[in-house]
Amino acid sequence: MIELIREAGEFLAGKVRRTPVEFSSGLSDLLGVPVWLKLEALQLTGSFKIRGALFAVSKLTEAIITCSAGNHGKAVAYAARGATICVPRSVDKSKFDAMVAMGADVRVSEFDGYDETQDWALEVAAREKKYFLSPFDDDAVMAANGGTVAMEVLEDAPDARTFILPVGGGGLAAGFATWAKHFLKDSTIIGCQHVMSPALRMSLDAGHAITRLPAVETLAGGVEGGIGARTFSVLQPLVDDVALVSEAEILDGVRWMVAHHQYLIEPTAAVTIAACITGKVRAGGPAVVVVSGRNVSAGTVKRILEEGV
């Protein structure tokens, strides 16, 4: 996959933002090592997902259908005008509205969870003879979403040896870990997940990918559901630890970022922050925390901030 990551980096140059790596004095104090934030929340379309969408779509000629908790769908809507995007009925309103505004054919499932919605999307793809683009279980998506982020991180924070990543389906983590471990054999990869949907932790314990999990009620929809079979096969030998955080801790992470860095991030992106501020990750050396996205509705923001008062 290393060569595919290089190809993705060349393709995306000038098409996406090279997001900043920002020092965090607050997290450095908490973890006891220098800590930087990789701010993919400042990326085009509001998340790292634009990287994988642009690169994967560039390789396809067929009509595309995909399934998304929101960010991947928004990125595909940007990359492939008129694509069909299937979303859970629990999708954040800001993400839904953005996909519609970009001309996507957005179809809302009768399910709250990602896994059941993907089953439905696959049925639609077969019926309508469209190519199903996975938001994570795809080599081009992994290479661009995670690999190109890692390329930038290793260049912009060369001292870092611990990398703290959000894990849902595993595309970002798999691509990132592939690049980081290839060039830094002594690096540590820590995946962060919702404690009620710990597909990576369960997969590591079971020795095989847990690709389906029951839906859970959460504002962090991007880390709900099972892990990809392909992404897990990549991650299994590369991930060093998994940190599990609760819903309340995730929302505390959103509030912490507003208070300490004045960045409003979405709950999915706050899983890594939550893992750090609760002491659930231990960094053996300088660390980079990936902050994956900012797409969250005004109503959800109001609720999160008011609950913290």
Side-chain angles (χ1 to χ4, degrees):
M1 189 184 290
I2 293 298
E3 288 308 314
L4 190 61
I5 293 172
R6 287 197 176 99
E7 180 188 343
E10 293 173 1
F11 173 82
L12 293 173
K15 296 181 178 70
V16 300
R17 291 175 183 153
R18 186 184 181 102
T19 54
V21 170
E22 180 176 308
F23 183 72
S24 176
S25 58
L27 291 185
S28 298
D29 290 342
L30 288 170
L31 269 63
V33 297
V35 178
W36 295 269
L37 303 173
K38 175 58 171 173
L39 292 168
E40 281 295 290
L42 301 181
Q43 187 54 267
L44 297 177
T45 72
S47 84
F48 70 95
K49 292 284 192 176
I50 189 61
R51 297 172 182 264
L54 283 172
F55 186 52
V57 167
S58 75
K59 294 181 169 294
L60 300 173
T61 57
E62 307 99 315
I64 295 170
I65 185 170
T66 192
C67 181
S68 174
N71 284 340
H72 171 73
K74 188 176 177 183
V76 170
Y78 179 96
R81 303 299 165 130
T84 300
I85 301 166
C86 298
V87 298
R89 65 185 176 190
S90 58
V91 66
D92 186 274
K93 186 177 185 299
S94 72
K95 298 174 183 178
F96 176 86
D97 290 346
M99 287 182 270
V100 172
M102 286 189 280
D105 173 15
V106 185
R107 305 186 192 179
V108 181
S109 82
E110 61 184 51
F111 309 105
D112 290 323
Y114 175 85
D115 291 343
E116 296 89 346
T117 301
Q118 178 172 279
D119 289 343
W120 174 63
L122 288 166
E123 292 172 4
V124 176
R127 185 168 63 248
E128 299 183 4
K129 295 181 172 53
K130 294 179 178 178
Y131 179 86
F132 180 79
L133 176 61
S134 171
F136 47 83
D137 221 22
D138 177 278
D139 289 348
V141 169
M142 282 187 266
N145 274 349
T148 65
V149 172
M151 288 176 72
E152 295 174 10
V153 164
L154 266 59
E155 291 172 3
D156 295 345
D159 294 335
R161 291 298 181 273
T162 301
F163 303 104
I164 302 166
L165 315 171
V167 181
L172 167 64
F176 193 109
T178 296
W179 188 266
K181 288 280 192 176
H182 181 79
F183 291 101
L184 297 173
K185 306 297 184 187
D186 60 340
S187 62
T188 299
I189 302 293
I190 302 174
C192 302
Q193 297 199 291
H194 198 300
V195 69
M196 298 301 292
S197 200
L200 175 58
R201 177 72 275 161
M202 293 173 67
S203 298
L204 290 169
D205 291 344
H208 60 85
I210 304 298
T211 59
R212 297 181 60 83
L213 285 175
V216 299
E217 185 176 346
T218 177
L219 294 177
V223 289
E224 185 268 344
I227 198 166
R230 295 165 82 174
T231 57
F232 180 67
S233 69
V234 174
L235 267 176
Q236 185 177 20
L238 301 177
V239 67
D240 296 287
D241 198 9
V242 181
L244 304 180
V245 292
S246 69
E247 186 79 2
E249 290 166 340
I250 289 169
L251 302 189
D252 282 342
V254 174
R255 292 185 282 264
W256 190 94
M257 278 293 287
V258 172
H260 290 263
H261 285 274
Q262 294 73 55
Y263 290 124
L264 182 60
I265 64 173
E266 63 186 87
T268 293
V271 294
T272 53
I273 302 299
C276 292
I277 65 178
T278 57
K280 293 180 179 178
V281 297
R282 297 188 181 279
V288 170
V289 177
V290 174
V291 181
S292 58
R294 67 173 186 269
N295 292 313
V296 60
S297 69
T300 300
V301 170
K302 184 172 184 289
R303 172 182 161 189
I304 293 172
L305 296 183
E306 285 180 348
E307 286 179 359
V309 175

